């Protein structure tokens, strides 16, 4: 803070669902208005810059489209898509008192009549702040006895797969990528989705490193790479096993690391023998020579870093794909070197006291009196339409409480989701900042805050700094944070436990497990005090204090948190569950190898936009302008367009048995033969009121029961 200036500078943290969790400095004028936002120059990963989406964040905060008051649906207005800009007409303003009372009354009625499990919370990562993501809300739904939501839509397949191999989700620190000599961005759109890793990659490249991108789509990252391998979707396990085949054939493995640190090598080696380069070439669309070259380059360069992210695990075979790739640095011993190894996510390093925040035992004080059923968020359509028709299901869903999420746009099998959301008997509440594809179906809409308007703490899934996000400004209008909403609702429901009156500051202490000496009791956070966090804004976790002093070499030595304490090439727990204990390539049910390909021969990638965050930001004109280049496009290979008599700029219908969308054909070399791609956007902004998720299915991944957005078959025809 500047002693003379009347402006305050507040340290906050970008709470969007992005690996980078940037430190943000917000300048606030004497009237309390945020006037400037910038990346924290003192944060070693943020390095003083923000992505293009958040650099113009004040447009979002002060957007005239913000919802600023509680609203209820006007009587007689049917649920369904509303024209953007005219949503307000379907609703009337009510007070928070009326909103909270009527929601509490209605939830109580539904619970009494159908059982509390007929109430389903639906939330994901609108904010990844520790409190905003899951704290008072979890307490509330536990005490209510509501169904528990299995939050699988993004990262479960990969998370489970990685943990099977290494025990926990940690990996190379972003700052250490600068030491790498070979970087593989494997299903990871670094430039679009994880831009703060990019400067470290640039630095490595200036020192002679090569960047190889393995992605079916020519991303901005791929366009900047030394080598772009345009692999066929879902075939990554075959490639990783093929690389192992070559590495082991040529004796390029690190025998000492394998002997000391791993388990199941012989059986993995036997499996890898099945993946000769010729066979892998036929699966992946690469040549055998390319597979050999990649394997040799990978095994003979040190250090090598693999940046996985969540792209490869959105495939039906996603768990096996991640497992196979994750094993590569354990074959070559890459973990021994600074800047070597791999990273899927760093989130496993943050040992927040989630138990204390979420209080799952409150379920036993609920009318249910036991642990509630789990409902998978990736099968929301099924949950809203079919759940309850089977005697073992428990009750149908009668109330849906949406916050931190926009399932009307992001959940798979959108036509089923919308059919469910449109049920007149379903009581739907949505807490959000804007009208969305979901609020169009809500009975009651509640106004939420941006990260500038509430306090929180945050970890990251792309670095190792714990951060405090201070409140920079008063909430606009009557917007309120998630913690406030669920605390208030709990009190209206008559929940008398004192935990429902905890303030955000108290919950921050609980998440940090602050002990009597003022220090955190969480593993890796023992050096953290609230005072330090307030002073500095960000503090590195203990094992990663100051880059340069203590090289952080995860998985390089010692015992790992797996059942055997080793890197597990072979998983006894998978074997015990009757699953394949080794990674393998199995063609997804929707892929060029499946029977369905006779009718729908093209593999469809409904991808994220570089300038949006899933569906977030897509309503803002400034952000839409940046995305205009790819708006409403279906990117196709020239051969696939020709064989359908489709020319550049033609209107096309993209369809399968679940739905259809209309797009403009664009032949630009961004996808290989047999693959088409389009972008995730707001459904309500399209002519038909649906987006790419009208095409995706509710089928689940091989591990973790995650969504399979990138295993989707379609056909395309001139419209
Ligand atoms: N700008 C922007 N940033 C974001 C987001 C956003 O929407 N926009 N979303 C955020 C979220 S929620 C997440 S989870 C992260 C995810 O970040 P990423 O993990 O990078 O996720 P995706 O963009 O889903 O996928 C990455 C790449 O994988 C490719 N891919 C698809 N299928 C396959 C396959 O079978 N094999 C291989 N090798 N590649 C494949 C896709 O073409 C894509 O370019 O990004 C976060 N950051
Ligand atoms: N086809 C296709 N579908 C996908 C994906 C894909 O790549 N392709 N990606 C998938 C992935 S990886 C993910 S993570 C999911 C993302 O799914 P969601 O987590 O639903 O992501 P968003 O679309 O960003 O919607 C988040 C909503 O939360 C709101 N919000 C923000 N902050 C707050 C807050 O503090 N409180 C409340 N109450 N609301 C808030 C935002 O305004 C926004 O409307 O989508 C999945 N769907
Ligand atoms: S979206 Fe990601 S890159 Fe952009 S400011 Fe937020 S954390 Fe940083
Ligand atoms: Mo995600």
């Amino acid at each position: 803070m500047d002693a003379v200036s009347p402006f305050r500078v507040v340290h906050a943290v970008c709470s969007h669902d992005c690996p980078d969790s940037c430190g943000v400095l917000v300048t606030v004028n004497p009237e309390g208005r945020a006037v400037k936002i910038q990346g924290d120059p003192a944060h070693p990963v943020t390095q003083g810059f923000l992505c293009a989406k958040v650099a113009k964040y004040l447009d979002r905060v002060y957007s005239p489209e913000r919802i600023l008051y509680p609203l209820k649906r006007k009587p007689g207005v049917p649920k369904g898509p509303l024209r953007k800009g005219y949503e307000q007409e379907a609703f009337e303003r009510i007070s928070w008192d009326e909103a909270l009372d009527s929601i509490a009354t209605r939830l109580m009625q539904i619970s009494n009549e159908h059982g509390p499990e007929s109430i389903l919370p639906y939330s994901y990562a609108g904010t990844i702040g520790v409190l905003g993501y899951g704290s008072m809300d979890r307490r509330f739904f536990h005490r209510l006895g509501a169904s528990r939501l299995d939050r699988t839509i993004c990262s479960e397949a990969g998370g489970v797969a990685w943990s099977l191999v290494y025990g926990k989700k940690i990996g190379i620190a972003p700052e250490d990528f600068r030491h790498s000599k070979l970087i593989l961005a494997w299903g990871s759109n670094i430039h679009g989705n994880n831009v703060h890793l990019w400067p470290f990659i640039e630095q490595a490249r200036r020192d002679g490193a090569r960047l190889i991108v393995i992605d079916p789509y020519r991303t901005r990252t791929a366009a900047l790479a030394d080598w772009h391998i345009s692999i066929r979707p879902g075939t990554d396990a075959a490639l990783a096993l093929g690389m192992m085949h070559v590495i082991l054939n040529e004796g390029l493995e690190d025998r000492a690391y394998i002997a000391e640190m791993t388990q199941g090598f012989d059986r993995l080696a036997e499996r890898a023998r099945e993946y000769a380069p010729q066979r892998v070439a036929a699966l992946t669309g690469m040549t055998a020579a390319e597979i050999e070259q990649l394997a040799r380059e990978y095994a003979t360069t040190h250090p090598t870093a693999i940046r996985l992210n969540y792209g490869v695990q959105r495939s039906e075979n996603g768990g096996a794909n991640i497992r196979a790739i994750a094993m590569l640095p354990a074959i070559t011993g890459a973990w021994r070197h600074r800047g070597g190894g791999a990273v899927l996510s760093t989130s496993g390093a943050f040992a927040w006291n989630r138990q204390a925040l979420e209080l799952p035992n409150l379920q036993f004080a609920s009318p249910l009196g036991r642990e509630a059923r789990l409902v998978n968020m990736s099968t929301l359509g099924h949950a809203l339409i079919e759940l309850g028709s089977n005697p073992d299901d428990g009750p149908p869903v009668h109330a849906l409480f949406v916050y931190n999420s926009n399932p009307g746009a992001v959940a798979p099998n959108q036509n089923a989701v919308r059919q469910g959301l449109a049920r007149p008997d379903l009581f739907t509440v949505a807490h959000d900042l804007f009208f969305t594809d979901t609020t169009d179906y809500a009975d009651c809409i509640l106004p939420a805050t941006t990260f500038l308007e509430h306090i929180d703490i945050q970890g990251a899934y792309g670095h190792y700094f714990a951060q405090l996000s201070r409140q920079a400004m008063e909430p606009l209008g009557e917007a309120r944070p998630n913690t406030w909403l669920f605390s208030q609702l709990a009190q209206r429901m008559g929940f008398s436990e004192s935990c429902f009156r905890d303030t955000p500051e108290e919950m921050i202490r609980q998440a940090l497990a602050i002990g009597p000496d003022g220090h955190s009791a969480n593993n890796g956070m023992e050096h953290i005090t609230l005072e330090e966090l307030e002073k500095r804004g960000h503090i590195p976790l203990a094992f990663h204090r100051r880059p340069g002093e203590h090289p952080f070499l995860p998985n390089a030595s010692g015992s790992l948190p797996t059942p055997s304490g080793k890197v597990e090439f072979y998983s006894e727990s998978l074997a015990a569950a009757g699953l394949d204990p080794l990674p393998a390539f199995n063609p997804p049910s929707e892929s060029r190898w499946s029977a369905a390909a006779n009718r729908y021969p093209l593999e469809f990638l409904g991808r994220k936009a570089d300038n949006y965050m899933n569906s977030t930001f897509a309503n803002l004109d400034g952000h839409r302008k940046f995305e205009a280049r790819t708006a409403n496009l279906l990117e196709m290979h020239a051969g696939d367009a020709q064989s359908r008599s489709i020319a550049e700029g033609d209107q096309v219908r993209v369809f399968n048995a679940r739905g259809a969308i209309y797009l403009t054909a664009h032949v630009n070399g961004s996808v290989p033969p047999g693959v088409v791609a389009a972008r995730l956007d707001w459904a309500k902004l399209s002519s038909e009121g649906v987006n790419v998720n009208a095409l995706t299915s509710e089928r689940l991944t091989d591990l973790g029961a995650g969504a399979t957005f990138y295993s989707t078959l379609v056909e395309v025809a001139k419209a």
Side-chain angles (χ1 to χ4, degrees):
M1 212 199 288
D2 190 329
V4 250
S5 168
F7 290 77
R8 289 181 301 133
V9 176
V10 181
H11 182 276
V13 184
C14 174
S15 64
H16 288 282
D17 186 1
C18 166
D20 297 357
S21 284
C22 289
V24 171
L25 300 180
V26 185
T27 306
V28 184
N29 77 10
E31 287 75 50
R33 190 180 169 91
V35 291
K36 186 175 160 195
I37 177 166
Q38 65 191 113
D40 182 358
H43 190 296
V45 179
T46 307
Q47 298 199 75
F49 77 96
L50 300 172
C51 67
K53 306 177 286 294
V54 174
K56 358 181 230 305
Y57 205 70
L58 298 182
D59 293 353
R60 176 172 160 90
V61 175
Y62 292 106
S63 165
E65 296 174 22
R66 279 277 301 269
I67 300 171
L68 295 177
Y69 309 98
L71 299 166
K72 77 170 181 204
R73 182 171 292 274
K74 286 182 183 161
V77 176
K79 299 179 178 185
L82 297 164
R83 212 169 121 212
K84 183 166 182 261
Y86 295 83
E87 295 95 339
Q88 199 90 40
E89 291 171 11
F91 296 91
E92 58 194 84
R93 181 176 169 181
I94 54 174
S95 67
W96 264 109
D97 269 335
E98 182 183 349
L100 293 165
D101 282 336
S102 65
I103 293 168
T105 306
R106 190 71 192 268
L107 292 182
M108 207 103 74
Q109 270 169 5
I110 289 171
S111 172
N112 289 340
E113 198 173 323
H114 306 282
E117 282 175 310
S118 64
I119 300 165
L120 179 66
Y122 198 93
S123 77
Y124 200 61
T127 165
I128 61 170
V130 171
L131 304 188
Y133 177 79
S135 59
M136 195 59 87
D137 53 315
R138 308 298 158 103
R139 294 178 184 180
F140 174 77
F141 289 112
H142 286 148
R143 176 64 181 76
L144 192 59
S147 287
R148 289 174 303 146
L149 186 71
D150 200 3
R151 292 178 172 80
T152 58
I153 203 160
C154 169
S155 61
E156 270 304 285
V160 169
W162 179 277
S163 301
L164 281 165
V165 182
Y166 292 108
K168 108 175 165 189
K169 288 202 277 184
I170 56 170
I172 318 175
E175 306 92 308
D176 282 342
F177 272 73
R178 63 166 81 112
H179 301 290
S180 300
K181 288 295 172 216
L182 175 67
I183 295 160
L184 269 53
W186 203 319
S188 172
N189 181 12
I190 295 168
H191 221 268
N193 302 355
N194 176 202
V195 68
H196 290 83
L197 183 59
W198 190 252
F200 300 111
I201 293 178
E202 285 281 84
Q203 200 175 335
R205 293 176 90 185
R206 279 197 296 274
D207 293 340
R210 264 165 60 83
L211 172 67
I212 301 177
V213 171
I214 305 173
D215 191 317
Y217 184 86
R218 192 171 170 80
T219 58
R220 281 197 276 172
T221 324
L224 292 164
D226 297 290
W227 183 12
H228 172 207
I229 296 171
S230 187
I231 192 174
R232 288 182 186 148
T235 63
D236 304 85
L239 176 57
L241 286 159
M243 288 169 69
M244 290 178 204
H245 181 103
V246 176
I247 291 169
L248 299 178
N249 253 357
E250 302 186 2
L252 301 175
E253 71 274 19
D254 182 338
R255 285 273 159 184
Y257 182 91
I258 290 168
E260 186 197 337
M261 290 296 295
T262 73
Q263 174 264 96
F265 174 71
D266 292 340
R267 282 183 279 197
L268 177 65
E270 204 178 304
R271 177 62 58 87
R273 267 197 288 278
E274 298 167 23
Y275 290 83
Q278 286 302 342
R279 179 182 171 211
V280 174
L283 296 173
T284 57
M286 299 167 69
T287 66
E290 286 172 334
I291 294 156
E292 284 164 358
Q293 185 196 328
L294 178 66
R296 287 185 197 123
E297 192 173 338
Y298 178 73
T300 57
T301 312
H302 292 293
T304 53
I306 300 180
R307 178 47 166 146
L308 276 165
N309 205 332
Y310 288 109
V312 273
Q313 51 98 65
R314 302 191 211 293
S315 164
E316 195 180 347
N317 200 35
N321 291 343
I322 293 281
R323 280 183 78 220
I325 298 165
M327 289 172 188
L328 285 169
I331 304 262
T332 62
W335 292 110
R336 291 176 187 280
H337 311 276
R338 185 151 187 218
V343 61
L344 172 70
S345 161
T346 59
S347 63
F350 294 88
W352 306 112
N353 191 348
R354 285 244 154 249
Q355 284 285 113
L357 282 177
E358 300 179 4
L359 299 175
N361 282 339
L362 286 169
Q363 289 176 100
F364 299 101
S366 76
L368 196 65
R370 58 168 167 80
E371 201 164 68
R373 71 175 171 193
L374 263 181
V375 175
N376 190 330
M377 73 184 300
S378 301
T379 54
L380 179 62
H382 165 82
L384 295 181
I385 300 170
E386 285 152 352
L387 195 67
S389 52
N390 199 311
D392 314 329
D393 284 352
V397 175
H398 289 282
L400 182 72
F401 202 125
V402 182
Y403 57 104
N404 284 349
S405 186
N406 181 10
V410 303
N413 198 8
Q414 190 163 88
N415 286 317
V417 170
R418 299 188 148 222
Q419 187 193 327
L421 289 174
R423 276 172 44 199
D425 65 311
L426 180 73
F427 176 61
T428 301
V429 180
H431 186 220
D432 206 310
L433 298 93
F434 293 95
F435 294 108
T436 66
D437 286 319
T438 307
T439 60
D440 283 356
Y441 293 84
D443 295 279
C444 186
I445 306 178
L446 305 172
T449 41
T450 63
F451 70 82
L452 273 62
E453 297 158 80
H454 58 243
I455 186 171
D456 213 328
I457 42 170
Q458 199 167 310
Y461 63 101
H463 62 64
Y464 292 108
F465 294 86
Q467 296 185 83
L468 176 67
S469 187
R470 294 189 135 167
Q471 183 176 340
M473 54 184 268
E474 287 303 310
L476 295 185
E478 293 178 2
R480 293 293 177 267
N482 301 359
T483 48
W484 183 91
L485 164 61
F486 290 103
S487 163
Q488 289 294 314
L489 262 183
Q491 292 171 47
R492 308 270 164 158
M493 300 284 291
F495 299 164
S496 56
E497 290 85 353
S498 65
C499 64
F500 291 111
R501 291 187 297 277
D502 286 348
T503 62
E505 288 75 11
E506 283 164 334
M507 287 193 285
I508 287 175
R509 299 179 77 88
Q510 293 159 6
L512 280 164
I514 297 291
D517 65 348
H519 285 261
S520 170
N522 295 337
N523 189 17
M525 298 185 182
E526 298 87 347
H527 58 299
I528 296 182
T529 63
L530 269 175
E531 295 66 34
E532 272 295 292
L533 206 49
E534 277 166 13
K535 203 162 83 196
R536 294 165 56 187
H538 63 265
I539 300 184
L541 296 181
F543 55 87
H544 180 58
R545 286 244 172 123
R546 206 170 300 166
E549 271 185 18
H550 305 283
F552 171 56
L553 298 176
N555 306 323
S557 58
S559 177
L560 304 187
T562 55
S564 62
K566 305 271 183 191
V567 180
E568 298 207 341
F569 291 139
Y570 180 95
S571 167
E572 295 287 356
S573 63
L574 286 182
L579 299 168
D580 191 345
L582 295 162
F585 169 71
N586 292 300
S589 314
E590 292 195 32
S591 65
R592 63 187 74 211
W593 296 279
S594 58
N598 293 330
R599 293 179 65 191
Y600 307 112
L602 297 169
E603 293 168 334
F604 175 75
L605 298 176
R607 298 177 62 264
K608 298 172 189 303
D610 283 351
N611 298 289
Y612 308 151
M613 178 64 62
N614 302 304
S615 75
T616 300
F617 300 114
N619 59 316
L620 300 173
D621 289 341
H623 291 73
R624 291 197 76 76
K625 244 176 240 148
F626 276 128
E627 272 299 320
R629 205 177 40 83
T630 59
N632 304 321
L633 294 184
L634 181 76
E635 297 176 75
M636 303 187 76
H637 188 267
D640 294 321
Q642 241 159 39
S643 63
R644 290 168 179 78
S645 308
I646 293 169
E648 172 73 21
D650 278 351
Q651 285 302 300
V652 291
R653 180 168 178 263
V654 189
F655 61 98
N656 60 24
R658 290 176 293 270
I661 55 177
Y662 290 83
L663 297 168
T664 307
H666 187 43
V667 182
N668 61 350
S670 64
V671 287
V675 179
V676 291
R679 213 193 47 190
L680 184 61
D681 201 334
W682 271 19
K684 62 193 287 178
L685 297 176
S686 75
S687 54
E688 313 299 309
V690 285
N691 69 16
V692 290
N693 280 322
L695 301 168
T696 56
S697 83
E698 292 176 74
R699 206 173 280 114
L700 300 174
T701 49
D702 54 347
L703 294 174
T708 55
F709 294 109
Y710 297 159
S711 292
T712 300
L713 282 176
V714 299
E715 179 54 295
V716 178
K718 223 159 144 161

